[in-house]
Amino acid sequence: MRTQIINGRLIDPKNGVDGTLDLFIADGRVAAIGTPPPGFVAERTIDAAGGIVCPGLVDLSTRLSGIETELAAAVAGGVTSLACPPDTSPPLDEPGLVDRLVRRSAALGLARVYPIGALTQQLGGERLAEMHSLARAGCIGFSQAKKPVQDRLVLLRAMQYAATFGYAIRLQPQDYQLAADGVAHDGEVASRLGLAGIPVCAETVAVSSSLELARATGVRLHLARLSSAAGIALVRAAQASGDKVSCDVSIHHLHLTEADIGFFDSSARFDPPLRASSDREALRAAVADGVAAISSDHTPVDEDGKQLPFAEADPGATGLELLLPLTLRWANETATPLPTALARITSDPAAILGISAGALAVGDAADICIFDPEARWQVSADALFSRGKNTPFLNQELAGRVRTTLVGGRVVFGA
């Protein structure tokens, strides 16, 4: 269907576009910007007056506890492309499982799903998975998710193999021995509450060793969900030295600190943990500078997993539908220009994943998010499409509401 989107402020960070420009769509792709192509007759017109028209959001980590509900949540949040980590049940360590995920998600016709394959068999950290077969089945990179590789020789061999074939490796940097049974940042709040702490060095030791192995092998390395100022400093220095390393920060860690645990509030339990306010400020600066992209770290947790003592509760929170408004809140609080903020959740993560997304040049897929940056709404269980209703932002009022989401030129949310 030929579609024109009129009267909106078009922002395409990758291509430096920011202005009131109409967008013309044909055959699922951007046909023209500003002026309709010759002979173009729209079959549908979407009036985006008062709204922002931008590339569909790209998320670096979305756990699909129920694929239909979570993809519905994705498009409700303006997310049109997402990476699924391998710690599914069963793990994504066999081509048949990856193929099934790709086919099922494609049949739903909602957000585009890009699987991340298991680095080792069953994520056990001992024997390498069949990376080549997994890549042929649709995996765009390989990861252990939150599972450790205890033997660094195994990790070295994995990186060597990945580098040979041009595969990217994604790691969540946390030394499993230093983290041990910790559940919160090793600081004042954990001490006061009697919670086992996870020191910052659990992150920095893992970051340092991962960077050393990546340098030795030449592999493309992505470090997921950094949580500390010290960890960010290591990546910033590595990038300045020309290392092929990228990183991201969870949207929750841009806003919350260890103080938000309050009195054992399990909705604020995350992995990695929420850290000190100085860490949060360093993360914010890294995102503003472009050192890090933003991830929703969408981890739906049911009530049974959260209605437990803090140390026993499942870590994580819903994030897909909050990614946009919380990014807008961060941008407002840090005086970050809107195009820069949108780059961190569109073109930057697309570049990290190595996918064709996050931009709206002529010929690009018409994956589009139209949102009202001023529309205010209250976060509630009823307002969320995701099966996971747990979030530290429950009952808060946020600004920024998606009006319409298009994937391949088709309206998949809104009107």
Side-chain angles (χ1 to χ4, degrees), residues 338-349:
L338 183 56
T340 301
L342 290 177
R344 304 299 179 260
I345 52 176
T346 57
S347 54
D348 288 0

Side-chain angles (χ1 to χ4, degrees), residues 1-2 25-29 408-409:
M1 180 178 290
R2 295 190 173 192
I25 301 166
D27 299 322
R29 297 189 173 275

Side-chain angles (χ1 to χ4, degrees), residues 43-66:
E43 300 167 79
R44 177 203 291 124
T45 298
I46 299 175
D47 190 347
I52 306 296
V53 180
C54 71
L57 311 190
V58 180
D59 189 40
L60 288 162
S61 181
T62 297
R63 288 180 168 80
L64 301 173
S65 60

Side-chain angles (χ1 to χ4, degrees), residues 301-308 312-314 390:
V301 179
D302 60 27
E303 286 295 320
D304 290 341
K306 283 294 187 183
Q307 298 303 316
L308 293 168
E312 299 174 24
D314 294 337
N390 283 287

Side-chain angles (χ1 to χ4, degrees), residues 7-79:
N7 300 325
R9 177 185 172 187
L10 178 63
I11 300 179
D12 178 2
K14 180 179 180 180
N15 295 297
V17 175
D18 183 2
T20 303
L21 296 164
D22 293 348
L23 193 65
F24 301 88
I25 301 166
D27 299 322
R29 297 189 173 275
V30 177
I33 298 170
T35 304
F40 184 92
V41 177
E43 300 167 79
R44 177 203 291 124
T45 298
I46 299 175
D47 190 347
I52 306 296
V53 180
C54 71
L57 311 190
V58 180
D59 189 40
L60 288 162
S61 181
T62 297
R63 288 180 168 80
L64 301 173
S65 60
I67 188 167
E68 187 168 355
T69 56
E70 302 318 308
L71 292 186
V75 295
V79 176

Side-chain angles (χ1 to χ4, degrees), residues 273-355:
L274 300 173
R275 298 202 180 273
S277 58
S278 58
D279 292 301
R280 180 187 63 183
E281 296 314 304
L283 300 180
R284 287 184 159 203
V287 174
D289 294 346
V291 171
I294 301 174
S295 163
S296 80
D297 193 21
H298 180 71
T299 308
V301 179
D302 60 27
E303 286 295 320
D304 290 341
K306 283 294 187 183
Q307 298 303 316
L308 293 168
F310 187 90
E312 299 174 24
D314 294 337
T318 189
L320 281 172
E321 295 162 86
L322 303 182
L323 179 59
L324 176 62
L326 289 179
T327 297
L328 296 178
R329 175 186 277 189
W330 160 76
N332 182 60
E333 292 174 352
T334 58
T336 300
L338 183 56
T340 301
L342 290 177
R344 304 299 179 260
I345 52 176
T346 57
S347 54
D348 288 0
I352 289 170
L353 294 173
I355 62 175

